[in-house]
Amino acid sequence: MPLFSFEGLSPTVHPDAFIAPTATLVGDVRIEAHASVWYNAVLRADFGPIVVREGANVQDGSVLHGGNDPVTEIGAGATVGHLCVVHGCVIGAEALIGNGATVQDGARIGARCLIGAGATVPPNAVVPDGRLVLGPAGREKGPLTESARWWVDGNPGTYQELARRHRDGVAPA
């Protein structure tokens, strides 16, 4: 399995966890007992740590990226379905993130929630325990807001610098 240290931080995997041989873990990724990370999933913890709690599973092709929040966390027994994007957020215990769903920065998904396939949970949303979330969120809203402009303007330089850091700082763990 591809495990990579980044700027001195390496993934840690409990011996009772399963990491598929084609999954990729980079940086401060922590996988607890009986958790699983499936084929072609990517967990990249270069902006912040990622913790996959006991018995949770991250299914094939999903991408988890640590954000500016203190930790991106997948709660105990939670499921991140196939082809999901989980970015800088917290998923509660035994929650299910349906195939192809996106959960954005700062979102907090409560315990035992179901986020439906293809749904988008917007930044900083709070979903209480035991709730069902369905549907896409994207609609044209007009000119870029100041916040959106910040992302559009800043993302190229941020990723150019991050690519330099990875080029110079990634090594097999």
Side-chain angles (χ1 to χ4, degrees), residues 8 11 14-15 18 22 25 28-29 36 39-40 45 48 51 64 77 79 91 112 117-118 127 129 133 136 157 172-173:
H14 191 281
F18 168 71
T22 57
L25 282 57
D28 191 7
V29 177
S36 57
Y39 300 91
N40 297 321
V51 179
L64 280 61
T79 293
I91 308 297
R112 299 187 54 75
V127 179
D129 293 349
V133 174

PDB file of all heavy atoms in Angstrom, residues 8 11 14-15 18 22 25 28-29 36 39-40 45 48 51 64 77 79 91 112 117-118 127 129 133 136 157 172-173:
ATOM      1  N   GLY A   8       7.663  15.384   7.486  1.00  0.00           N
ATOM      2  CA  GLY A   8       7.937  14.748   8.764  1.00  0.00           C
ATOM      3  C   GLY A   8       6.765  14.021   9.396  1.00  0.00           C
ATOM      4  O   GLY A   8       6.921  13.418  10.453  1.00  0.00           O
ATOM      5  N   PRO A  11       1.685   8.438   7.851  1.00  0.00           N
ATOM      6  CA  PRO A  11       0.450   7.746   8.226  1.00  0.00           C
ATOM      7  C   PRO A  11       0.712   6.700   9.305  1.00  0.00           C
ATOM      8  O   PRO A  11       1.791   6.092   9.343  1.00  0.00           O
ATOM      9  CB  PRO A  11       0.015   7.064   6.927  1.00  0.00           C
ATOM     10  CG  PRO A  11       0.700   7.812   5.837  1.00  0.00           C
ATOM     11  CD  PRO A  11       2.000   8.267   6.430  1.00  0.00           C
ATOM     12  N   HIS A  14      -3.428   1.069  12.327  1.00  0.00           N
ATOM     13  CA  HIS A  14      -3.549   0.029  13.348  1.00  0.00           C
ATOM     14  C   HIS A  14      -3.388  -1.333  12.672  1.00  0.00           C
ATOM     15  O   HIS A  14      -3.891  -1.534  11.555  1.00  0.00           O
ATOM     16  CB  HIS A  14      -4.911   0.135  14.036  1.00  0.00           C
ATOM     17  CG  HIS A  14      -5.006  -0.721  15.249  1.00  0.00           C
ATOM     18  ND1 HIS A  14      -5.236  -2.086  15.196  1.00  0.00           N
ATOM     19  CD2 HIS A  14      -4.894  -0.403  16.559  1.00  0.00           C
ATOM     20  CE1 HIS A  14      -5.257  -2.570  16.418  1.00  0.00           C
ATOM     21  NE2 HIS A  14      -5.060  -1.566  17.264  1.00  0.00           N
ATOM     22  N   PRO A  15      -2.725  -2.278  13.326  1.00  0.00           N
ATOM     23  CA  PRO A  15      -2.509  -3.595  12.694  1.00  0.00           C
ATOM     24  C   PRO A  15      -3.798  -4.342  12.360  1.00  0.00           C
ATOM     25  O   PRO A  15      -3.785  -5.226  11.501  1.00  0.00           O
ATOM     26  CB  PRO A  15      -1.671  -4.373  13.711  1.00  0.00           C
ATOM     27  CG  PRO A  15      -1.448  -3.497  14.874  1.00  0.00           C
ATOM     28  CD  PRO A  15      -2.049  -2.165  14.611  1.00  0.00           C
ATOM     29  N   PHE A  18      -7.619  -2.573   7.625  1.00  0.00           N
ATOM     30  CA  PHE A  18      -7.331  -3.019   6.263  1.00  0.00           C
ATOM     31  C   PHE A  18      -7.149  -1.792   5.381  1.00  0.00           C
ATOM     32  O   PHE A  18      -8.035  -0.938   5.307  1.00  0.00           O
ATOM     33  CB  PHE A  18      -8.472  -3.871   5.695  1.00  0.00           C
ATOM     34  CG  PHE A  18      -8.356  -4.101   4.219  1.00  0.00           C
ATOM     35  CD1 PHE A  18      -7.368  -4.935   3.698  1.00  0.00           C
ATOM     36  CD2 PHE A  18      -9.208  -3.459   3.327  1.00  0.00           C
ATOM     37  CE1 PHE A  18      -7.248  -5.133   2.319  1.00  0.00           C
ATOM     38  CE2 PHE A  18      -9.098  -3.657   1.949  1.00  0.00           C
ATOM     39  CZ  PHE A  18      -8.116  -4.491   1.454  1.00  0.00           C
ATOM     40  N   THR A  22      -3.955  -0.494  -3.318  1.00  0.00           N
ATOM     41  CA  THR A  22      -3.925   0.658  -4.229  1.00  0.00           C
ATOM     42  C   THR A  22      -4.446   1.941  -3.582  1.00  0.00           C
ATOM     43  O   THR A  22      -4.538   2.972  -4.255  1.00  0.00           O
ATOM     44  CB  THR A  22      -4.749   0.366  -5.498  1.00  0.00           C
ATOM     45  OG1 THR A  22      -6.081   0.036  -5.116  1.00  0.00           O
ATOM     46  CG2 THR A  22      -4.105  -0.764  -6.306  1.00  0.00           C
ATOM     47  N   LEU A  25      -2.178   6.904   1.204  1.00  0.00           N
ATOM     48  CA  LEU A  25      -2.252   7.705   2.423  1.00  0.00           C
ATOM     49  C   LEU A  25      -1.020   8.586   2.473  1.00  0.00           C
ATOM     50  O   LEU A  25       0.115   8.089   2.362  1.00  0.00           O
ATOM     51  CB  LEU A  25      -2.295   6.818   3.664  1.00  0.00           C
ATOM     52  CG  LEU A  25      -3.620   6.130   4.030  1.00  0.00           C
ATOM     53  CD1 LEU A  25      -4.166   5.267   2.927  1.00  0.00           C
ATOM     54  CD2 LEU A  25      -3.468   5.340   5.311  1.00  0.00           C
ATOM     55  N   ASP A  28      -0.272  13.121   7.764  1.00  0.00           N
ATOM     56  CA  ASP A  28      -0.804  12.836   9.090  1.00  0.00           C
ATOM     57  C   ASP A  28      -2.179  12.182   9.004  1.00  0.00           C
ATOM     58  O   ASP A  28      -3.204  12.771   9.356  1.00  0.00           O
ATOM     59  CB  ASP A  28      -0.860  14.142   9.898  1.00  0.00           C
ATOM     60  CG  ASP A  28      -1.140  13.906  11.369  1.00  0.00           C
ATOM     61  OD1 ASP A  28      -1.164  12.739  11.813  1.00  0.00           O
ATOM     62  OD2 ASP A  28      -1.342  14.914  12.081  1.00  0.00           O
ATOM     63  N   VAL A  29      -2.184  10.933   8.508  1.00  0.00           N
ATOM     64  CA  VAL A  29      -3.394  10.128   8.396  1.00  0.00           C
ATOM     65  C   VAL A  29      -3.321   9.063   9.483  1.00  0.00           C
ATOM     66  O   VAL A  29      -2.301   8.388   9.623  1.00  0.00           O
ATOM     67  CB  VAL A  29      -3.506   9.461   7.012  1.00  0.00           C
ATOM     68  CG1 VAL A  29      -4.733   8.558   6.934  1.00  0.00           C
ATOM     69  CG2 VAL A  29      -3.521  10.505   5.905  1.00  0.00           C
ATOM     70  N   SER A  36     -11.292   0.410   7.533  1.00  0.00           N
ATOM     71  CA  SER A  36     -10.817  -0.025   6.225  1.00  0.00           C
ATOM     72  C   SER A  36     -10.811   1.142   5.250  1.00  0.00           C
ATOM     73  O   SER A  36     -11.668   2.021   5.305  1.00  0.00           O
ATOM     74  CB  SER A  36     -11.681  -1.174   5.681  1.00  0.00           C
ATOM     75  OG  SER A  36     -13.042  -0.802   5.609  1.00  0.00           O
ATOM     76  N   TYR A  39      -9.910   0.294  -2.335  1.00  0.00           N
ATOM     77  CA  TYR A  39      -9.105   0.464  -3.543  1.00  0.00           C
ATOM     78  C   TYR A  39      -9.252   1.860  -4.148  1.00  0.00           C
ATOM     79  O   TYR A  39     -10.348   2.373  -4.293  1.00  0.00           O
ATOM     80  CB  TYR A  39      -9.471  -0.626  -4.563  1.00  0.00           C
ATOM     81  CG  TYR A  39      -9.206  -1.994  -3.990  1.00  0.00           C
ATOM     82  CD1 TYR A  39     -10.201  -2.683  -3.307  1.00  0.00           C
ATOM     83  CD2 TYR A  39      -7.945  -2.570  -4.066  1.00  0.00           C
ATOM     84  CE1 TYR A  39      -9.951  -3.923  -2.733  1.00  0.00           C
ATOM     85  CE2 TYR A  39      -7.687  -3.807  -3.502  1.00  0.00           C
ATOM     86  CZ  TYR A  39      -8.685  -4.474  -2.831  1.00  0.00           C
ATOM     87  OH  TYR A  39      -8.430  -5.692  -2.257  1.00  0.00           O
ATOM     88  N   ASN A  40      -8.101   2.423  -4.456  1.00  0.00           N
ATOM     89  CA  ASN A  40      -7.973   3.722  -5.123  1.00  0.00           C
ATOM     90  C   ASN A  40      -8.500   4.906  -4.314  1.00  0.00           C
ATOM     91  O   ASN A  40      -8.655   5.993  -4.865  1.00  0.00           O
ATOM     92  CB  ASN A  40      -8.603   3.700  -6.517  1.00  0.00           C
ATOM     93  CG  ASN A  40      -7.894   2.709  -7.416  1.00  0.00           C
ATOM     94  OD1 ASN A  40      -6.674   2.579  -7.371  1.00  0.00           O
ATOM     95  ND2 ASN A  40      -8.659   1.987  -8.210  1.00  0.00           N
ATOM     96  N   ALA A  45      -3.328  14.251   3.885  1.00  0.00           N
ATOM     97  CA  ALA A  45      -3.337  15.101   5.076  1.00  0.00           C
ATOM     98  C   ALA A  45      -2.137  16.037   5.043  1.00  0.00           C
ATOM     99  O   ALA A  45      -1.167  15.859   5.775  1.00  0.00           O
ATOM    100  CB  ALA A  45      -3.335  14.245   6.336  1.00  0.00           C
ATOM    101  N   GLY A  48      -4.063  19.450   7.053  1.00  0.00           N
ATOM    102  CA  GLY A  48      -4.541  19.107   8.388  1.00  0.00           C
ATOM    103  C   GLY A  48      -4.683  17.609   8.488  1.00  0.00           C
ATOM    104  O   GLY A  48      -4.751  16.911   7.479  1.00  0.00           O
ATOM    105  N   VAL A  51      -8.397  11.517  10.488  1.00  0.00           N
ATOM    106  CA  VAL A  51      -8.524  10.375  11.389  1.00  0.00           C
ATOM    107  C   VAL A  51      -9.717   9.548  10.942  1.00  0.00           C
ATOM    108  O   VAL A  51     -10.830  10.075  10.807  1.00  0.00           O
ATOM    109  CB  VAL A  51      -8.711  10.819  12.854  1.00  0.00           C
ATOM    110  CG1 VAL A  51      -8.876   9.603  13.763  1.00  0.00           C
ATOM    111  CG2 VAL A  51      -7.549  11.686  13.312  1.00  0.00           C
ATOM    112  N   LEU A  64     -10.319  12.003   0.517  1.00  0.00           N
ATOM    113  CA  LEU A  64     -10.407  12.754   1.768  1.00  0.00           C
ATOM    114  C   LEU A  64      -9.205  13.677   1.823  1.00  0.00           C
ATOM    115  O   LEU A  64      -8.064  13.244   1.589  1.00  0.00           O
ATOM    116  CB  LEU A  64     -10.393  11.836   2.980  1.00  0.00           C
ATOM    117  CG  LEU A  64     -11.699  11.134   3.356  1.00  0.00           C
ATOM    118  CD1 LEU A  64     -12.201  10.234   2.243  1.00  0.00           C
ATOM    119  CD2 LEU A  64     -11.524  10.361   4.646  1.00  0.00           C
ATOM    120  N   GLY A  77     -17.347   3.526  13.053  1.00  0.00           N
ATOM    121  CA  GLY A  77     -18.382   2.785  12.361  1.00  0.00           C
ATOM    122  C   GLY A  77     -19.030   3.504  11.186  1.00  0.00           C
ATOM    123  O   GLY A  77     -19.977   2.988  10.597  1.00  0.00           O
ATOM    124  N   THR A  79     -19.472   5.151   7.340  1.00  0.00           N
ATOM    125  CA  THR A  79     -19.172   4.718   5.979  1.00  0.00           C
ATOM    126  C   THR A  79     -19.069   5.931   5.076  1.00  0.00           C
ATOM    127  O   THR A  79     -19.973   6.765   5.054  1.00  0.00           O
ATOM    128  CB  THR A  79     -20.293   3.799   5.439  1.00  0.00           C
ATOM    129  OG1 THR A  79     -20.291   2.582   6.195  1.00  0.00           O
ATOM    130  CG2 THR A  79     -20.096   3.494   3.964  1.00  0.00           C
ATOM    131  N   ILE A  91     -17.400  13.746  10.206  1.00  0.00           N
ATOM    132  CA  ILE A  91     -18.488  12.818   9.966  1.00  0.00           C
ATOM    133  C   ILE A  91     -18.715  12.052  11.262  1.00  0.00           C
ATOM    134  O   ILE A  91     -17.781  11.461  11.801  1.00  0.00           O
ATOM    135  CB  ILE A  91     -18.136  11.821   8.825  1.00  0.00           C
ATOM    136  CG1 ILE A  91     -17.648  12.536   7.557  1.00  0.00           C
ATOM    137  CG2 ILE A  91     -19.292  10.871   8.566  1.00  0.00           C
ATOM    138  CD1 ILE A  91     -18.638  13.431   6.901  1.00  0.00           C
ATOM    139  N   ARG A 112     -25.140   8.748  12.939  1.00  0.00           N
ATOM    140  CA  ARG A 112     -26.210   7.961  12.328  1.00  0.00           C
ATOM    141  C   ARG A 112     -27.041   8.756  11.324  1.00  0.00           C
ATOM    142  O   ARG A 112     -28.230   8.522  11.161  1.00  0.00           O
ATOM    143  CB  ARG A 112     -27.076   7.317  13.406  1.00  0.00           C
ATOM    144  CG  ARG A 112     -26.272   6.357  14.304  1.00  0.00           C
ATOM    145  CD  ARG A 112     -27.102   5.571  15.284  1.00  0.00           C
ATOM    146  NE  ARG A 112     -28.194   4.833  14.656  1.00  0.00           N
ATOM    147  CZ  ARG A 112     -28.071   3.708  13.939  1.00  0.00           C
ATOM    148  NH1 ARG A 112     -26.879   3.176  13.737  1.00  0.00           N
ATOM    149  NH2 ARG A 112     -29.134   3.115  13.438  1.00  0.00           N
ATOM    150  N   ALA A 117     -26.766   9.571  -1.954  1.00  0.00           N
ATOM    151  CA  ALA A 117     -25.865   9.503  -3.103  1.00  0.00           C
ATOM    152  C   ALA A 117     -25.972  10.787  -3.921  1.00  0.00           C
ATOM    153  O   ALA A 117     -27.062  11.272  -4.199  1.00  0.00           O
ATOM    154  CB  ALA A 117     -26.216   8.295  -3.966  1.00  0.00           C
ATOM    155  N   GLY A 118     -24.817  11.354  -4.246  1.00  0.00           N
ATOM    156  CA  GLY A 118     -24.758  12.543  -5.076  1.00  0.00           C
ATOM    157  C   GLY A 118     -25.070  13.840  -4.363  1.00  0.00           C
ATOM    158  O   GLY A 118     -25.009  14.905  -4.970  1.00  0.00           O
ATOM    159  N   VAL A 127     -25.426  19.168  10.431  1.00  0.00           N
ATOM    160  CA  VAL A 127     -26.531  18.228  10.273  1.00  0.00           C
ATOM    161  C   VAL A 127     -26.660  17.480  11.596  1.00  0.00           C
ATOM    162  O   VAL A 127     -25.755  16.751  11.979  1.00  0.00           O
ATOM    163  CB  VAL A 127     -26.269  17.246   9.105  1.00  0.00           C
ATOM    164  CG1 VAL A 127     -27.424  16.253   8.973  1.00  0.00           C
ATOM    165  CG2 VAL A 127     -26.040  18.006   7.798  1.00  0.00           C
ATOM    166  N   ASP A 129     -27.801  14.803  14.577  1.00  0.00           N
ATOM    167  CA  ASP A 129     -27.828  13.342  14.611  1.00  0.00           C
ATOM    168  C   ASP A 129     -29.101  12.799  13.980  1.00  0.00           C
ATOM    169  O   ASP A 129     -30.189  13.386  14.118  1.00  0.00           O
ATOM    170  CB  ASP A 129     -27.763  12.840  16.055  1.00  0.00           C
ATOM    171  CG  ASP A 129     -26.444  13.125  16.745  1.00  0.00           C
ATOM    172  OD1 ASP A 129     -25.479  13.534  16.072  1.00  0.00           O
ATOM    173  OD2 ASP A 129     -26.379  12.926  17.983  1.00  0.00           O
ATOM    174  N   VAL A 133     -30.168  13.611   4.412  1.00  0.00           N
ATOM    175  CA  VAL A 133     -29.880  14.750   3.533  1.00  0.00           C
ATOM    176  C   VAL A 133     -29.854  14.228   2.104  1.00  0.00           C
ATOM    177  O   VAL A 133     -29.111  13.298   1.807  1.00  0.00           O
ATOM    178  CB  VAL A 133     -28.531  15.413   3.890  1.00  0.00           C
ATOM    179  CG1 VAL A 133     -28.175  16.501   2.897  1.00  0.00           C
ATOM    180  CG2 VAL A 133     -28.554  15.958   5.312  1.00  0.00           C
ATOM    181  N   PRO A 136     -28.592  17.618  -4.782  1.00  0.00           N
ATOM    182  CA  PRO A 136     -27.465  18.494  -5.107  1.00  0.00           C
ATOM    183  C   PRO A 136     -27.778  19.928  -4.692  1.00  0.00           C
ATOM    184  O   PRO A 136     -28.936  20.299  -4.537  1.00  0.00           O
ATOM    185  CB  PRO A 136     -27.338  18.378  -6.625  1.00  0.00           C
ATOM    186  CG  PRO A 136     -28.737  18.062  -7.071  1.00  0.00           C
ATOM    187  CD  PRO A 136     -29.350  17.234  -5.965  1.00  0.00           C
ATOM    188  N   GLY A 157      -1.970  29.668  -6.967  1.00  0.00           N
ATOM    189  CA  GLY A 157      -0.725  29.851  -6.222  1.00  0.00           C
ATOM    190  C   GLY A 157      -0.595  28.886  -5.063  1.00  0.00           C
ATOM    191  O   GLY A 157       0.497  28.366  -4.789  1.00  0.00           O
ATOM    192  N   PRO A 172       8.515   7.742   0.693  1.00  0.00           N
ATOM    193  CA  PRO A 172       7.847   6.534   1.202  1.00  0.00           C
ATOM    194  C   PRO A 172       7.965   6.459   2.714  1.00  0.00           C
ATOM    195  O   PRO A 172       9.019   6.748   3.269  1.00  0.00           O
ATOM    196  CB  PRO A 172       8.605   5.409   0.507  1.00  0.00           C
ATOM    197  CG  PRO A 172       9.196   6.021  -0.705  1.00  0.00           C
ATOM    198  CD  PRO A 172       9.527   7.445  -0.310  1.00  0.00           C
ATOM    199  N   ALA A 173       6.879   6.099   3.361  1.00  0.00           N
ATOM    200  CA  ALA A 173       6.870   6.016   4.839  1.00  0.00           C
ATOM    201  C   ALA A 173       7.385   4.668   5.293  1.00  0.00           C
ATOM    202  O   ALA A 173       7.345   3.700   4.611  1.00  0.00           O
ATOM    203  CB  ALA A 173       5.460   6.266   5.358  1.00  0.00           C
TER     204      ALA A 173
END
